[in-house]
Amino acid sequence: MKALLLSALLLASILVARPAAAEEPASEDAPSAVEERSAAFRAVSGPETESVPGGPLLIGAYLALWGLTLGYLLRLGKIARGIEADVESLRQALQKVDDDVR
Amino acid sequence: MSFARISPSLFAPAWLVTALLVLASLSLVFFVAPMEVQMGIVQKIFYFHVPSAFAMYVGWGATAVGALAYLASRNPKADALAVAGAEIGMLFCAIVLVTGPLWARKAWGVYWTWDPRLTTTLAAGMIYLAYLSLRSFGEAGESEKLFGAGLAVLGVPVLFLVHYSVQKWRGVHPTVITKQGGGLAPEMVTPFLLSIAAVLSLALLLLWTRYRLERQRQAIDAARARALEADLLENEA
């Protein structure tokens, strides 16, 4: 009888303890929401049924990347040509002064 | 184009190394790096999007250093560095703000959302756009240079906000690269590191080129001013 009572008590303690353990808050070592999200590239929003083709988006991104870079290189070229033109006009103006002095 | 005049001995090798890095990184990204499970091919935007953000920091970091040095010393070299850095930072900010939404369309279903990192990046871009606008109003006088330098320094806290916004506030922007080791598959690491090297090399080369051009422009402006003072030239204005 004593053994039966002890067994019942043990079973009851297990049944009570399990749900209690499940309700415990996450420990401090557990990853935060940010870390958990960052560990995987999971979609977080957007319609489930829509299938967005990745190819055109990828091509668009790389076109933008190299298009903007090329555009900036052209701008640098324009600045360089402007500097050359300024140097030439300054040189001609000073040459004219030099000729007038002579 | 006369870039070669800037520094003939180093210019061509620097461009060659950068071009090789870019080609190598592109080939690794498209032929070696595996496809990502959830997003598929669009994840390959990541390999140049993140390094472009690093290059943006480099450019605006150079602007901050140059602006602070100019405020302290009025040295024209510091001003040239600030202008060059602002342009390079703006270029890569534009790349980040274009490539990011294209990736987001697939990942989030929308091109744009007011996530902390996206919003702070846009805010930083507007600050440095204001700086460049101020500097592009004709020939910048001393007051424009000083005001611009102050504006550039004010942009520095926003750069820290951009970087730490993901950790401090909840948002949807991923932080794959973390101190804990990141969430990249091992096969993605080498292509990603090579892409960082390629983009940073390109950014530094562009920064150097723009800085040298700005220094040449400053030298011409100074020569013209001296010639005008000596009555060697007629004032065109």
Side-chain angles (χ1 to χ4, degrees), chain A residues 12 23 34 54-55 57 60 64 68-69 71 85 90 94 98:
Chain A
E23 287 170 12
V34 171
L57 294 171
L68 285 166
T69 306
L90 195 59
L94 291 175
D98 194 33

Side-chain angles (χ1 to χ4, degrees), chain A residues 41, chain B residues 21 24-36 43-44 46-48 50-51 54 176-178 180-198:
Chain A
F41 275 108
Chain B
L21 279 172
S25 63
L26 281 173
S27 55
L28 280 190
V29 165
F30 285 102
F31 300 117
V32 175
M35 207 75 86
E36 207 273 335
Q43 185 266 344
K44 290 184 185 294
F46 160 84
Y47 293 101
F48 281 88
V50 176
F54 292 165
V176 179
I177 312 303
T178 63
Q180 287 77 34
L184 277 183
E187 305 92 325
M188 295 177 177
V189 173
T190 305
F192 179 60
L193 291 178
L194 200 61
S195 297
I196 291 175

